[in-house]
Amino acid sequence: SVKGVPFFPFPFPFPAAPGTEAASSSWSFLLFFFFFFFFLFLSERPGVAITFGGPGSWPSGCTLPGDIIQRHIIDSAQIIDIVNFNNNSATDIGSGSGMPGIIIAILLKNLKKDIKVKLYEKSYHKSNFLKNVSAKLNLKTEIIQKNIFEEKKIETGTIMSRAFKPMPVVLDLVNENFSNFSNIIFFMGKSGREIFQNTLKDWDLDYSEKKSLTNEESFLINVKKIKKRFKKTKCKLFQS
């Protein structure tokens, strides 16, 4: 094991049975990605890792490698069982260093799913990093170096939102800029409960909730349908 993280990190939701060759292969592939990423982190420009906690730094309070695996790789990978396999694409909005998009692309490849993962990242350096990782690992991805808020009529299956924008902003983005999607997966942190409850005041959501495997105070929201509520405005009558 690595700092309390076993090589079969159960109850991690592998599609294969614990201890089988398929499960071992999935986890080995994730470990390979981690060490490959670490190599790039040391050899490429420090700026490519800024989404990991600041230019040239690892996340505050993390020690290598266990915390990084737990807080980023496993945290990203845990959504694989709610990614829609019935669509030919999935989209990571604001991908940054590739969490969760690259991790999901690795798992989809290992599961032999013919699904392209689209990663939106407007930063030139981060986009190049994502392209390099995708090429080295031969992943089925499309790196889109554009501001997703300026794109229209986007069609996809699963939308992944992790450490991007607040939930209401993402819902507005999907409502205005996506013409078709199957579900939206939100990673909600410590303050996520209050944000979620406030969001429900303005949105009707068909959703399910799932506890995070990596943090007791975090949770996942899987949204299948969205509808914005129209606020009623009070009209004042003025008399002359």
Side-chain angles (χ1 to χ4, degrees), residues 60-233:
S60 175
C62 282
T63 57
L64 292 174
D67 285 347
I68 299 296
I69 293 175
Q70 179 80 4
R71 292 175 59 177
H72 293 281
I73 295 181
I74 295 179
D75 188 60
S76 296
Q78 67 177 319
I79 67 170
I80 189 63
D81 61 341
I82 50 178
V83 170
N84 185 357
F85 290 168
N86 296 319
N87 200 286
N88 60 9
S89 71
T91 301
D92 182 0
I93 54 177
S95 189
S97 58
M99 308 290 179
I102 290 291
I103 299 295
I104 295 302
I106 290 172
L107 289 174
L108 290 173
K109 177 182 178 179
N110 204 38
L111 293 169
K112 295 180 172 56
K113 299 295 183 181
D114 189 23
I115 299 174
K116 177 185 285 187
V117 180
K118 299 178 181 180
L119 299 96
Y120 277 87
E121 177 49 59
K122 64 181 180 179
S123 165
Y124 170 81
H125 293 299
K126 294 177 189 175
S127 293
N128 275 353
F129 170 72
L130 295 173
K131 290 176 183 177
N132 289 338
V133 172
S134 295
K136 295 290 185 181
L137 297 181
N138 193 26
L139 301 177
K140 188 171 183 178
T141 61
E142 180 182 355
I143 315 304
I144 305 172
Q145 190 193 332
K146 293 181 179 180
N147 183 350
I148 193 170
F149 288 94
E150 297 176 356
E151 299 297 293
K152 298 294 182 181
K153 297 182 179 179
I154 305 171
E155 294 187 2
T156 191
T158 296
I159 299 170
M160 299 168 278
S161 177
R162 182 178 187 267
F164 179 51
K165 299 289 185 182
M167 190 176 193
V169 176
V170 173
L171 289 172
D172 276 325
L173 169 67
V174 174
N175 194 46
E176 297 294 330
N177 298 46
F178 282 75
S179 58
N180 191 30
F181 70 95
S182 61
N183 63 316
I184 316 168
I185 302 174
F186 290 93
F187 292 74
M188 308 298 286
K190 294 180 180 180
S191 60
R193 184 62 59 190
E194 182 178 356
I195 294 172
F196 183 47
Q197 293 302 321
N198 287 334
T199 301
L200 291 176
K201 297 176 182 178
D202 297 323
W203 292 88
D204 287 323
L205 305 178
D206 178 5
Y207 71 94
S208 58
E209 184 176 327
K210 181 179 178 182
K211 186 176 181 181
S212 172
L213 297 176
T214 59
N215 190 306
E216 292 182 355
E217 298 179 281
S218 300
F219 58 102
L220 305 169
I221 297 292
N222 183 24
V223 179
K224 294 186 177 180
K225 293 181 181 179
I226 65 174
K227 183 178 180 181
K228 193 164 189 178
R229 296 178 178 177
F230 292 97
K231 294 182 178 180
K232 295 180 180 180
T233 56

